[in-house]
Amino acid sequence: MLKDKKKTNHHTKQSPGAGDETSPAFLRFMNQKWLSMWNGNPPGTILLIIGILVALIMSIPIVYVIWQSLSAGEESWRRLLGNRIPDLLWNTLSLTAAVTGAAVIIGLSLAWFVIRTDLPGRKLWQWMLALPLVIPPYVGAVTYIIVFGPSGWLTNLWNDTNWLTAIAGDFPFKIYSFFGVFIVLTLFTYPYAFLIAIASLRRLNRNFEEVARSQGMSPIQVFLKVTLPFLRPAIGAGAVLISLYVLSDFGAIAMLRYVTFTAAIYYQRAGFDIPSASVLSLVLIILTILILWLESFTRKKRHFYQTSNTFKEPDIIKLGKWKVAAFLYVSVIFSLAVVLPLVVLIYWTVIGTGLGTIDASFFGYAWNSIKVSGLAAILCMLLAIPIIYLKSRHPSVISRGIDRLSYAGYALPGVIVALGMVFIFNNHIPALYNTFYMIAIAFVVRFLPQAMQSGEASLSLVSPRVDEAARSLGSPAWKTMLTVIFPSILPGILAGGALVFVSSIKELPATLMLRPPGFDTLAVRVYYEASEALYHQAAPAALLIVLVSIIPLHFLLKKY
Amino acid sequence: MKKGFSLITLGMAVTVMAACGGNGEENTNSVNNTNTNDDNHANTEEAALDGELVVYSSRNEMFVQDLLDKFTEETGVEVRALHDADPLQIQEEAGNVQADVFISNDLGALEYLNQQELLEGTDPENVDTIDEQFRAENNEWIAISARARGFIYNKDLISEEEMPTKMEDLLDPEWADVENGYAITRGGNGGMIGNVSALRYEWGDDQTAEWIQAIQENSAGIFEGHGDIRRAVGAGEHAFGLVNNYYYHQQLEEPTDNNVGFIYPDQGDGEMGAIANAAGLGMVAGSPNEENAKAFIEWVLEEENQLAFVGESLEVPINTNLEPPYEEAVPFSELSVQDMPLKELGNYFEDTRTLIEDAGLDLELR
């Protein structure tokens, strides 16, 4: 349908005379509709086809999972709805709510301290407190098990200290519990809220608070009535990122022996109970959509305006006697979320190196990781270009639709994307099934939007006049794109590629589900060795993943 | 499906485990005959091999990888392994076969695949060293090493007298009150599936379902695998755990946390005997590297490699001519073993998974 219209359009454009003779009024009408849909600026056929194809490929796995779940059969549905889904819902939602709440509060309070108060070393803290972002939560979970687990460092120390056990009994903290999962996920996700809150607080105009204070409000009232509502969008955005993360996490949850929807889908799939896996996936997809909808719904209800012409830097609040307490609070969070994991990883890496863990097979795993993540990054960079170009230069219902479809895999857990990929490749593309290309394609489906966002930011800086000028000088669209647009957005595209690379290298569940025989990556090894309690083997790989993950921190800190 | 099992198999039930204990003289004679030409065939055939071999294994990676590396070293065939594979992956990929060989720690899974015609018979040399009861009719699968289920316990936390002595004991909620409680694996674990199938054979479905329910409610820890359990029990995190016997042997080998004991359950008069199972391998039907798969199976059957297969796991070789690699292992001949032909496990495989799932144990972890 689309193609036909497109052809006609092309045809008429090239030879209007012939078009008048051959095309009846109906076609001309369609042609006009088509042009008006694009505001008189339709894209080239090839560009459009590429865009549509990419968007379709991006959404196929999700559509497939939904289709499978709907055809799962009454029996699977009844069994799952009866005893499985209610428990999983409770496990998943209570954890999501608790982690989101705690992580937002921590992120927000830390941001407030480092931006608005005279906390000692506040400039340094601003990026130090963002550091947990480089520690994938499953790696964080491993380090917490090593320290707080039933045979962990601290547990043994406590239980061997007689006077302590005499007073307080055995080590009280159980890491394999709701509380353990809650702590670990909170510590390694709060930076999402922290970074967004920092960006908002920096833009906060002092005038509002001054007005409030002149009305006789106390500092606390000012915070609650003025600052907090102003931060509301930032809180919402942070909360969405965190709750979507908790919904999709597999590694940390599996290692801490907690079961949410994502883990349940993984185990069902690992046991090849495909109908159940897809039914559970559908529920998880609905939860994800609900969270996204909830956020956009609450955001629409309120608008906040900043007056830019009278902007004054917000003043710095003196902490006074609270300075020590605030410093302590910030230090404790930093120690738990950054120092502790790094110390544990470095300790075990040193031991592992002594035991010869970093050998040929370690480099083999690293090379596999680089190979598959690099391929995904290159594909993402290539595929992002036509889509962002379509979106920015040819805005219309269609290009917006393409853009939206490209986000399908981004919001959803890797487990579901992987489930879709297995269906499709095993049934329809057997030649690629069980090759590492399957993992790379899953990464593209999951992370293409990262490359798009970064590229879009660059493209928005290039005026459409530039390519119009090039086109008017007789350069065809594809040539304009290659010679004019591409070089100017290259830095943005490369940054996007780097983000995709890093996200891919630490991705766990899709890699676990899709890896072909004999193809282990660093992430898979961390998961396997840690679950076998072979920490000296897990740590070097985990440390390498952490080091690589510093790359996106650079971009993120620049962005906020 | 049941008729796939001959009465002969049932008749052999009583001698099933005796065969691997070294007690069954009548079985070992045939074994000895074939052993003589073992040495000279070793190097002739494998010289011509190249290419790759894809092995799916549901066993712990640590028990299998060394064996596969040894094969690569000796033959030059590159082995690509998928560890922790579920037997149903073979079924799922039947239209697009990936694996050449499937290695399993549950004969139920192997026999199930065989019944679905997903395995192919082979005729390897030296196969006679494995008693017929431990092979499928046309050698679609061959068992190499045996194990029994039982309780590993921490001697600091609980004494032998206080321990349960029967599988049935776990039905009683009193075991929830033992200091630090006890540990089991999640229901998706191959060893647990075999355990439950054996109980169904013995008790029927209703009591077995009650048993699953009981252990799910009363256990203090539910783990992904048995290695976690032996470590946890050794470290005193749990008083005891339901594992295969060789995990006890492995824990004894640890430099620390090794004050553990082991109970073989149901050993009393008139009790069912220990639940036995075995690890083995079979060639996948339509295997893409069939020559290599056949060569691998033949290679594994060389006695040196049978021992390597048992290897790290410290199980007991099924070949009665071979010394168990671990001296403290209780020979099966001294054990009272459940009188079920292991092939029978295949009949229960699929329903057992449903039973476990209905009880909610397949996902549970804690």
Side-chain angles (χ1 to χ4, degrees), chain A residues 95-116:
Chain A
L95 183 72
T96 308
V99 171
T100 307
V104 166
I105 290 170
I106 291 177
L108 201 65
S109 57
L110 291 177
W112 190 78
F113 279 124
V114 300
I115 297 291
R116 295 299 309 278

Side-chain angles (χ1 to χ4, degrees), chain B residues 290-311:
Chain B
E290 196 177 324
E291 285 309 306
N292 288 347
K294 282 181 176 160
F296 178 72
I297 292 170
E298 195 140 311
W299 178 86
V300 166
L301 282 167
E302 289 171 27
E303 304 209 330
E304 175 193 338
N305 299 324
Q306 289 188 26
L307 282 174
F309 186 100
V310 176

Side-chain angles (χ1 to χ4, degrees), chain A residues 142-161 171 339-349 351 535:
Chain A
V142 177
T143 63
Y144 265 68
I145 292 168
I146 294 174
V147 177
F148 298 100
S151 313
W153 293 351
L154 197 68
T155 320
N156 287 345
L157 192 69
W158 176 297
N159 291 342
D160 292 344
T161 314
F171 188 63
V339 179
L340 181 145
L342 285 183
V343 166
V344 172
L345 285 184
I346 291 168
Y347 172 85
W348 276 113
T349 302
I351 291 185
Y535 301 128

Side-chain angles (χ1 to χ4, degrees), chain A residues 45 76 112 143 173 218 247 309 389 404 407 465 474 520 539 550:
Chain A
T45 319
S76 303
W112 190 78
T143 63
F173 180 60
S218 72
L247 275 191
N309 49 352
Y389 191 79
R404 291 272 160 79
Y407 272 81
R465 305 271 174 277
D520 281 1
I550 291 176

Side-chain angles (χ1 to χ4, degrees), chain B residues 184-206:
Chain B
I184 56 174
T185 64
R186 71 186 188 90
N189 184 289
M192 184 59 100
I193 293 174
N195 195 137
V196 172
S197 291
L199 291 179
R200 292 178 64 205
Y201 174 84
E202 199 70 33
W203 298 342
D205 284 2
D206 290 345

Side-chain angles (χ1 to χ4, degrees), chain A residues 282-526:
Chain A
L282 185 64
V283 181
L284 185 51
I285 291 173
I286 292 170
L287 286 183
T288 307
I289 293 171
L290 271 181
I291 287 182
L292 289 171
W293 176 81
L294 210 68
E295 203 272 335
S296 70
F297 177 74
T298 51
R299 197 175 34 187
K300 263 182 207 141
K301 277 176 63 178
R302 290 172 133 189
H303 291 281
F304 298 93
Y305 298 103
Q306 284 261 45
T307 41
S308 54
N309 49 352
T310 60
F311 184 78
K312 276 197 248 168
E313 280 269 328
D315 56 342
I316 302 289
I317 293 162
K318 296 264 183 294
L319 282 169
K321 59 178 176 174
W322 296 105
K323 206 176 234 176
V324 178
F327 191 77
L328 211 65
Y329 169 68
V330 171
S331 310
V332 165
I333 300 280
F334 180 71
S335 310
L336 290 176
V338 180
V339 179
L340 181 145
L342 285 183
V343 166
V344 172
L345 285 184
I346 291 168
Y347 172 85
W348 276 113
T349 302
V350 169
I351 291 185
T353 314
L355 293 170
T357 299
I358 304 182
D359 55 4
S361 51
F362 177 83
F363 289 113
Y365 306 139
W367 172 239
N368 282 346
S369 286
I370 291 169
K371 197 160 74 174
V372 70
S373 308
L375 181 60
I378 290 168
L379 284 173
C380 280
M381 290 191 279
L382 291 178
L383 297 178
I385 295 170
I387 295 184
I388 59 176
Y389 191 79
L390 263 180
K391 189 187 170 195
S392 98
R393 295 301 194 259
H394 305 282
S396 77
V397 185
I398 293 170
S399 49
R400 264 196 306 280
I402 291 174
D403 181 61
R404 291 272 160 79
L405 281 180
S406 308
Y407 272 81
Y410 189 49
L412 288 170
V415 168
I416 293 182
V417 173
L419 194 63
M421 304 297 288
V422 177
F423 285 150
I424 292 161
F425 281 80
N426 192 20
N427 295 324
H428 306 296
I429 321 178
L432 285 183
Y433 178 76
N434 249 353
T435 63
F436 77 90
Y437 299 106
M438 202 161 80
I439 312 180
I441 295 171
F443 288 165
V444 172
V445 172
R446 284 220 65 203
F447 303 128
L448 179 64
Q450 289 182 349
M452 283 162 50
Q453 284 170 344
S454 168
E456 251 176 88
S458 284
L459 187 58
S460 69
L461 300 177
V462 180
S463 164
R465 305 271 174 277
V466 175
D467 30 324
E468 272 165 26
R471 295 260 289 279
S472 70
L473 290 173
S475 167
W478 62 268
K479 206 172 171 189
T480 311
M481 225 169 97
L482 275 183
T483 56
V484 182
I485 304 296
F486 186 67
S488 34
I489 61 169
L490 191 60
I493 293 286
L494 286 176
L499 280 180
V500 173
F501 182 81
V502 172
S503 302
S504 303
I505 221 163
K506 59 183 183 182
E507 206 281 344
L508 181 64
T511 318
L512 265 180
M513 286 167 76
L514 298 175
R515 82 207 139 111
F519 190 88
D520 281 1
T521 64
L522 292 173
V524 169
R525 291 317 291 183
V526 171

Side-chain angles (χ1 to χ4, degrees), chain B residues 80-333:
Chain B
R80 295 201 290 124
L82 184 68
H83 298 285
D84 238 341
D86 193 281
L88 294 184
Q89 183 156 1
I90 303 281
Q91 190 169 20
E92 181 76 8
E93 293 171 351
N96 180 20
V97 179
Q98 304 286 313
D100 300 306
V101 169
F102 182 59
I103 297 179
S104 176
N105 54 4
D106 174 23
L107 291 190
L110 283 168
E111 179 54 31
Y112 171 79
L113 291 177
N114 188 24
Q115 288 174 15
Q116 306 297 312
E117 297 182 345
L118 296 165
L119 299 181
E120 204 168 303
T122 55
D123 188 22
E125 255 180 85
N126 217 19
V127 72
D128 302 343
T129 57
I130 306 295
D131 193 272
E132 281 183 10
Q133 315 158 65
F134 297 107
R135 297 186 255 136
E137 200 150 349
N138 302 308
N139 303 326
E140 285 90 349
W141 52 261
I142 302 161
I144 307 285
S145 64
R147 81 278 295 280
R149 300 281 287 176
F151 304 120
I152 184 174
Y153 65 95
N154 186 309
K155 291 178 174 172
D156 298 332
L157 290 170
I158 191 167
S159 71
E160 190 175 349
E161 293 72 41
E162 294 167 300
M163 282 289 293
T165 60
K166 303 193 295 275
M167 282 289 166
E168 212 173 344
D169 288 347
L170 294 187
L171 279 165
D172 195 326
E174 68 169 315
W175 300 105
D177 305 328
V178 166
E179 186 186 358
N180 287 9
Y182 68 93
I184 56 174
T185 64
R186 71 186 188 90
N189 184 289
M192 184 59 100
I193 293 174
N195 195 137
V196 172
S197 291
L199 291 179
R200 292 178 64 205
Y201 174 84
E202 199 70 33
W203 298 342
D205 284 2
D206 290 345
Q207 192 180 345
T208 307
E210 271 173 52
W211 185 83
I212 301 172
Q213 208 71 53
I215 58 171
Q216 191 211 353
E217 275 161 27
N218 301 329
S219 63
I222 301 183
F223 293 73
E224 180 78 33
H226 293 101
D228 302 329
I229 296 185
R230 72 166 171 91
R231 281 191 208 93
V233 171
E237 292 162 29
H238 295 294
F240 68 94
L242 175 57
V243 294
N244 302 322
N245 57 342
Y246 54 89
Y247 286 94
Y248 160 62
H249 307 152
Q250 288 175 14
Q251 196 61 29
L252 288 178
E253 293 292 285
E254 292 283 333
T256 57
D257 293 345
N258 56 11
N259 191 19
V260 290
F262 193 79
I263 304 281
Y264 288 92
D266 299 287
Q267 296 297 298
D269 282 342
E271 291 174 0
M272 71 170 165
I275 292 173
N277 205 329
L281 75 175
M283 187 170 88
V284 179
S287 136
N289 305 294
E290 196 177 324
E291 285 309 306
N292 288 347
K294 282 181 176 160
F296 178 72
I297 292 170
E298 195 140 311
W299 178 86
V300 166
L301 282 167
E302 289 171 27
E303 304 209 330
E304 175 193 338
N305 299 324
Q306 289 188 26
L307 282 174
F309 186 100
V310 176
E312 290 283 307
S313 74
L314 309 179
E315 288 167 289
V316 182
I318 280 179
N319 181 344
T320 49
N321 270 17
L322 301 176
E323 278 293 312
Y326 194 66
E327 53 199 85
E328 293 185 45
V330 176
F332 269 83
S333 54

